[in-house]
Amino acid sequence: MLQTRPDLGAPTPYTFPKPRRLTVGGGTVVAIDVPGQAFASVRLVHHAGGATEPQESMGVAALTNEALEDGFHGNSSLAPALERHGAEWVSRVTWDSFVTGVDAPVNRLQDATALLAEAVRNPALRDEDVLRRRDQILERFWLDASVPSTLATRAVGGQLFTGRYATPLSGAPVALKQVTPQAVRDFHASSIAAVAGTLVVVGDLTGVDLEALGSAVFGDAAAADAPDRTPPEPAGGELPRVVVLDRPGSVQSALLMAHRAPARRDVDLPRADGISDVLGGMFTSRLNLELRERLGYTYGAGCRFDLRRDSGVFLISTQVDTQTTAHSLTASLAETERLRREGVSETELSAVRESNTVGLPVSYSTARSLAGALVETVVHDLPEDHIDRLRAGFEALTADDLAGAAREYLHPSEMVTVIAGDAASLEGPLSEAGAGPVTVRDPETLWS
Amino acid sequence: MTTNGAARRVDQFTLDNGLRLVTAPASTPQVAAVNLWYGIGSRFEVPGRTGFAHLFEHLMFQGSGNVAKGEHFDAVERLGGDINASTSTDRTNYFETVPEHALDLVLWLEADRLATLRDGMTQEVLDNQRDVVKNERRQRYDNQPYGTALERILRLAYPEGHPYHHSTIGSMADLDDADLDYVLDFHKRHYGPDNAVLTVVSNLDPEDVRERVERSFGAIPARPEAAEAPDAALTGLIGGPVAERAVETVPAPGVFLGYRVAPYGERDFDVMHLASAVLGQGQGSRLYRRLVLERGLAVDDGGAAADLLPFRYTPSLMLVNMIAREGVSGDELEGAMLQEIAALAEGVSDEELERARAVLERDHMQSLSHPSGLADAIGSSTQLFGDPELAYTWPQRWNSVTAEDVVDLAKRLLVPENRLSVRFDPEPAGEPAA
């Protein structure tokens, strides 16, 4: 005899762990102790992302970030040194941040962090290493862009913005070629080496001397605020519209529908993320249920907000069979319009509320994810109890809030749809889809 | 129940119906990671029926006797949980991480589809998920540069008719031929509690977890008889060198080399695992230092050029893969890779071996640092080797491997007679694919 469906009892209330905060020299250490977690995550955060780069050296942040892996001795010396400590270099550049770090066993944390400090404060940055990294990034650019979804993602910026955001984060082929080793050294000296930043440490901190870690990493670098930024201008062109990036013979199309969104600080996150969850943020969201589970057109469909300090983007993405591409586009638009028109059901509201509140222990069940949340608070100047405030915001959500969010944040009439696929098969059906005029582009010409 | 003494890490129970349950403590509070390893993978498939174990994995989310289509996903997602599944040659794996208070619900959802999936299955569901899987195949294989590499590798590595000759995704034609009767029969043959390992990682008392599992799964009968896998026995080398060339719309020449090595779990597998790390894992590895940094022949992959594809029931594969830099031909790159592979037989330093050990150990410890990763490692160790403790002690296997061991095995296995090569070359300019 099988058991009947069990009642879900009340969840244990979750509070995000309160971080320890220390001022060390010009920098700040923010740390969470996770007893029993023997693998620690260390992240150093600087406010030196792609968005603040000068037009003449687009991609310098990403190139510098990668060149740090050549380490103090040059010639890719950092990773092998860390490997001997069982540690791993973890770094990335976003539009708003320059993050470096290591994941390491807590008993090797001091050694691994010392290597992090050396690499960040005093890298060799030799000409030959920077040029090698630059050439490799340039070649990888086209290699990565041969994946249709990556190609579509990289092309979207140029359809929505002018200025820095129109060019991909790593700078794209022509722009990156102009970034010299000296430009990398200058960027590093002014934005990274001379700026203390914030050090995030998460793991079992028993016996870990946080002050010593901070001193090692910050040295005598100074404190610095996030730079002021000017919101980017929109790109021209009729809205909505469709751009096909021709990949002759493709058996599938990568479809990306995007429009501009407000800056992060101007967005009410529970409402925006909530409506995004309903439309495409979950497996049970409307787009996935329609395109995958009802029509069988795709392996998956989704949507999300990409919110930056001075602007934002809303994106719907999927990959579909070539002959169902036009219908996938109109079906996605129809779902978005319906959400704006009718709002959400009580079931959808409860799914949004519950998944973003009772699910927090799952979201923060690793050192990496806890460190990621702390990095987010540093990058966007959020309060220490940011996660708890978000949770409270989701708990208070109403169906009316989400209906209002659909109208405020979702704008199908302003969509630019970028499709990487077989133009010969797509152009006709797409021009009848009602998503605006269709232009076909050769991907090779996008960043020339 | 068996417990491993004072330094308790896992507890094991076996239910009367054969279900093996393993519990282990989580390193963060308030979560429960649930992981079910079923001993059914694509190795059970026969020619003409390929891709079925994986298609079936999709069908397991489409409703059962007491759960509507989509309800399983919905229940876990609205808890903010993680949920997914995967299929390989040797197993199908279903896993969820949820807030601790939802453990009973997840156990019940898993038990319901194990016991009553056939009650919820319809032709409409089958047709829909067949289309989804065909699109998954397009996305991961057919519309992806180098996407068919693994299929080509397996065809060269294992003879026609061998259960590892095909990939888990299967062929479009076989997916089209899948019928409802076969679906129902497949569930009956492979999905029984006696063919599963259930791992729960949480901070609940192991006895408490056992009682909950007993309530959910205890009444589900074992299969009347265990399904038999086709014979995967294979001895000797590949009989190479064997090669396959593809001229496609790829951005640069891509070289994929493979060698038959020992089955997963054997000592020679561990030796080759270290050899692969010396050769091509991490930026301190030989391939990265020589072909990426010094000679500039290969695209920078961050040091991820070599690894083992672990197969428990047949010889595994060591795979080495690099993409050529601009102006470098596939022949030149392949020649350089072969040179480095051959050099392993000429000597490996202790320092290289130490670095390799550290890299493998780091990757292993990292996967255990996540509740879901720990549950997965325990499920694997229990299903494949009958020993959940291996999840924790696996790195010890590498301690006794010496540089001489690596060199000796390289001399025997990393030879032309045991080599397969799959090459992708871009179409010559002005000659697009037909």
Side-chain angles (χ1 to χ4, degrees):
Chain A
M1 181 67 187
L2 291 179
Q3 183 197 23
T4 53
R5 183 177 178 127
D7 285 333
L8 200 58
T12 311
Y14 178 85
T15 307
F16 190 78
K18 187 174 167 53
R20 281 173 65 193
R21 188 173 284 271
L22 286 78
T23 302
V24 181
T28 306
V29 178
V30 187
I32 293 177
D33 184 18
V34 186
Q37 180 51 271
F39 220 82
S41 288
V42 176
R43 304 286 183 269
L44 177 62
V45 188
H46 285 95
H47 291 280
T52 54
E53 291 172 351
Q55 290 281 329
E56 65 276 13
S57 56
M58 289 191 289
V60 69
L63 177 56
T64 305
N65 191 276
E66 198 149 317
L68 292 186
E69 287 197 66
D70 285 305
F72 175 73
H73 299 288
N75 198 30
S76 192
S77 59
L78 176 61
L82 286 167
E83 283 162 6
R84 286 190 282 275
H85 294 296
E88 184 179 25
W89 180 245
V90 183
S91 73
R92 74 185 194 121
V93 166
T94 69
W95 290 110
D96 296 316
S97 67
F98 189 103
V99 180
T100 49
V102 289
D103 281 355
V106 283
N107 60 351
R108 309 303 293 271
L109 199 55
Q110 203 168 334
D111 293 332
T113 308
L115 286 167
L116 161 72
E118 196 176 66
V120 172
R121 300 295 170 201
N122 204 11
L125 295 179
R126 305 181 306 176
D127 280 4
E128 60 263 44
D129 289 329
V130 176
L131 291 173
R132 171 176 46 80
R133 297 268 175 192
R134 191 185 72 180
D135 291 346
Q136 289 272 16
I137 293 175
L138 284 167
E139 283 185 36
R140 233 171 35 217
F141 187 90
W142 287 115
L143 202 61
D144 295 345
S146 67
V147 176
S149 56
T150 306
L151 175 64
T153 303
R154 286 191 179 157
V156 144
Q159 296 298 322
L160 300 179
F161 300 105
T162 60
R164 181 64 190 92
Y165 287 136
T167 303
L169 190 55
S170 65
V174 175
L176 188 59
K177 266 187 203 144
Q178 292 159 19
V179 180
T180 62
Q182 191 54 49
V184 166
R185 287 189 286 269
D186 291 346
F187 174 84
H188 173 260
S190 61
S191 304
I192 308 298
V195 179
T198 303
L199 188 71
V200 166
V201 187
V202 179
D204 188 334
L205 302 182
T206 310
V208 172
D209 185 342
L210 291 173
E211 185 145 4
L213 287 187
S215 298
V217 170
F218 300 137
D220 56 4
D225 292 329
D228 285 336
R229 305 242 298 262
T230 313
E233 294 295 318
E238 189 177 333
L239 294 175
R241 67 177 182 274
V242 179
V243 179
V244 179
L245 309 176
D246 193 16
R247 291 179 89 247
S250 291
V251 296
Q252 204 177 40
S253 307
L255 202 145
L256 200 62
M257 306 165 69
H259 63 69
R260 287 157 50 88
R264 195 183 197 286
R265 75 171 74 83
D266 298 328
V267 167
D268 179 10
L269 276 185
R271 288 170 62 240
D273 282 347
I275 205 63
S276 172
D277 281 353
V278 172
L279 182 62
M282 301 196 283
F283 186 87
T284 51
S285 64
R286 292 187 183 192
L287 289 172
N288 202 52
L289 290 185
E290 178 68 6
L291 295 180
R292 173 181 155 129
E293 296 294 292
R294 196 176 79 77
L295 294 168
Y297 285 174
T298 178
Y299 180 47
C303 73
R304 67 187 174 91
F305 283 98
D306 171 10
L307 300 175
R308 308 164 191 174
R309 282 181 79 96
D310 54 13
S311 67
V313 179
F314 175 72
L315 302 140
I316 293 174
S317 58
T318 187
Q319 295 186 53
V320 298
D321 200 357
T322 299
Q323 66 259 31
T324 63
T325 304
H327 188 217
S328 298
L329 170 56
T330 51
S332 302
L333 286 171
E335 287 300 329
T336 314
E337 289 287 8
R338 190 165 69 86
L339 194 54
R340 281 170 52 88
R341 204 169 52 242
E342 299 172 4
V344 305
S345 67
E346 280 301 320
T347 309
E348 288 170 328
L349 169 67
S350 65
V352 166
R353 267 208 305 236
E354 291 166 18
S355 66
N356 288 287
T357 52
V358 300
L360 293 180
V362 178
S363 304
Y364 300 112
S365 61
T366 65
R368 270 190 179 197
S369 58
L370 287 163
L374 292 182
V375 168
E376 176 89 352
T377 62
V378 175
V379 172
H380 293 286
D381 305 322
L382 303 169
E384 201 167 77
D385 60 350
H386 165 65
I387 300 296
D388 295 327
R389 290 185 194 211
L390 268 187
R391 189 200 59 222
F394 278 108
E395 278 166 353
L397 271 184
T398 66
D400 282 348
D401 289 337
L402 289 178
R407 292 188 294 272
E408 185 179 347
Y409 296 125
L410 306 179
H411 302 288
S413 62
E414 296 172 16
M415 288 275 189
V416 177
T417 301
V418 177
I419 297 175
D422 180 35
S425 313
L426 297 175
E427 201 174 356
L430 284 173
S431 55
E432 291 162 19
V438 179
T439 313
V440 177
R441 296 285 303 269
D442 174 357
E444 300 264 345
T445 67
L446 285 173
W447 297 284
S448 54
Chain B
M1 172 181 131
T2 54
T3 300
N4 60 317
R8 186 186 70 76
R9 290 189 289 210
V10 302
D11 289 292
Q12 301 182 61
F13 312 86
T14 302
L15 271 56
D16 290 344
N17 57 16
L19 180 76
R20 286 165 288 171
L21 165 67
V22 187
T23 62
S27 58
T28 49
Q30 294 181 233
V31 293
V34 173
N35 194 304
L36 266 159
W37 267 66
Y38 285 99
I40 163 66
S42 61
R43 75 186 176 104
F44 281 88
E45 293 166 357
V46 292
R49 293 289 195 182
T50 66
F52 211 81
H54 170 255
L55 173 62
F56 199 88
E57 172 212 315
H58 280 246
L59 298 175
M60 285 281 277
F61 288 98
Q62 294 296 312
S64 45
N66 301 292
V67 179
K69 174 177 162 77
E71 196 182 345
H72 192 134
F73 256 108
D74 180 60
V76 175
E77 278 199 324
R78 66 172 50 236
L79 289 158
D82 289 337
I83 173 169
N84 216 330
S86 74
T87 309
S88 77
T89 49
D90 296 347
R91 55 95 182 118
T92 309
N93 184 18
Y94 300 85
F95 47 96
E96 292 100 344
T97 306
V98 292
E100 192 181 88
H101 76 290
L103 175 59
D104 283 338
L105 177 62
V106 167
L107 292 174
W108 180 81
L109 287 164
E110 288 291 0
D112 196 67
R113 63 183 176 183
L114 172 58
T116 69
L117 183 95
R118 299 196 288 278
D119 301 345
M121 192 50 53
T122 65
Q123 186 67 43
E124 192 187 353
V125 157
L126 172 60
D127 291 343
N128 168 252
Q129 288 306 304
R130 188 197 338 253
D131 286 342
V132 170
V133 169
K134 286 168 76 175
N135 275 305
E136 179 180 358
R137 190 192 149 88
R138 289 185 188 102
Q139 188 170 321
R140 292 187 167 169
Y141 290 68
D142 301 331
N143 204 41
Q144 190 76 229
Y146 319 105
T148 56
L150 182 63
E151 283 187 330
R152 296 169 190 270
I153 287 166
L154 293 174
R155 280 202 299 262
L156 292 179
Y158 303 99
E160 185 98 42
H162 186 271
Y164 290 71
H165 180 72
H166 68 280
S167 64
T168 53
I169 195 78
S171 75
M172 286 294 198
D174 289 356
L175 291 170
D176 279 333
D177 286 346
D179 62 76
L180 196 56
D181 283 347
Y182 198 68
V183 169
L184 301 176
D185 185 57
F186 194 89
H187 186 256
K188 202 185 296 179
R189 277 186 294 133
H190 298 294
Y191 280 82
D194 53 306
N195 196 25
V197 171
L198 168 60
T199 305
V200 178
V201 170
S202 75
N203 285 317
L204 293 166
D205 178 66
E207 276 299 337
D208 179 8
V209 174
R210 186 194 63 78
E211 281 166 25
R212 293 165 188 245
V213 169
E214 189 75 59
R215 280 202 298 275
S216 296
F217 285 84
I220 303 172
R223 294 171 299 169
E225 59 180 312
E228 267 191 40
D231 184 10
L234 204 58
T235 53
L237 308 181
I238 285 177
V242 290
E244 190 172 313
R245 299 281 179 270
V247 177
E248 289 187 356
T249 46
V250 290
V255 180
F256 296 76
L257 302 173
Y259 298 83
R260 253 191 225 159
V261 299
Y264 185 40
E266 293 189 6
R267 180 174 161 84
D268 276 358
F269 179 97
D270 299 330
V271 175
M272 283 315 282
H273 206 177
L274 281 163
S276 77
V278 168
L279 187 68
Q281 291 183 39
Q283 292 185 33
S285 65
R286 288 187 181 188
L287 288 171
Y288 191 87
R289 304 307 299 180
R290 308 245 169 101
L291 304 195
V292 176
L293 284 179
E294 289 168 24
R295 300 179 62 186
L297 298 177
V299 168
D300 186 354
D301 59 3
D307 205 351
L308 294 196
L309 200 54
F311 297 138
R312 176 73 182 93
Y313 306 101
T314 207
S316 303
L317 288 177
M318 181 167 104
L319 299 181
V320 188
N321 159 228
M322 298 188 105
I323 309 282
R325 296 278 313 263
E326 207 171 310
V328 176
S329 72
D331 282 344
E332 190 181 356
L333 177 60
E334 185 165 343
M337 289 164 67
L338 290 174
Q339 225 176 347
E340 294 302 333
I341 293 168
L344 277 179
E346 290 160 19
V348 171
S349 72
D350 287 341
E351 195 186 342
E352 284 183 302
L353 199 61
E354 275 312 305
R355 189 203 66 87
R357 252 193 281 271
V359 167
L360 294 185
E361 188 166 334
R362 177 198 70 200
D363 290 350
H364 186 81
M365 298 315 290
Q366 254 176 346
S367 62
L368 297 196
S369 71
H370 191 297
S372 175
L374 175 59
D376 188 54
I378 289 173
S380 164
S381 301
T382 311
Q383 175 70 256
L384 299 181
F385 306 108
D387 182 2
E389 277 288 317
L390 280 178
Y392 297 94
T393 60
W394 195 272
Q396 294 170 14
R397 304 163 73 95
W398 299 313
N399 290 344
S400 63
V401 175
T402 65
E404 288 71 36
D405 293 334
V406 173
V407 169
D408 288 347
L409 202 56
K411 278 181 187 160
R412 278 200 285 128
L413 295 183
L414 302 183
V415 293
E417 300 76 44
N418 194 32
R419 186 172 80 224
L420 68 87
S421 156
V422 172
R423 261 271 291 288
F424 290 85
D425 286 305
E427 289 144 358
E431 291 179 36

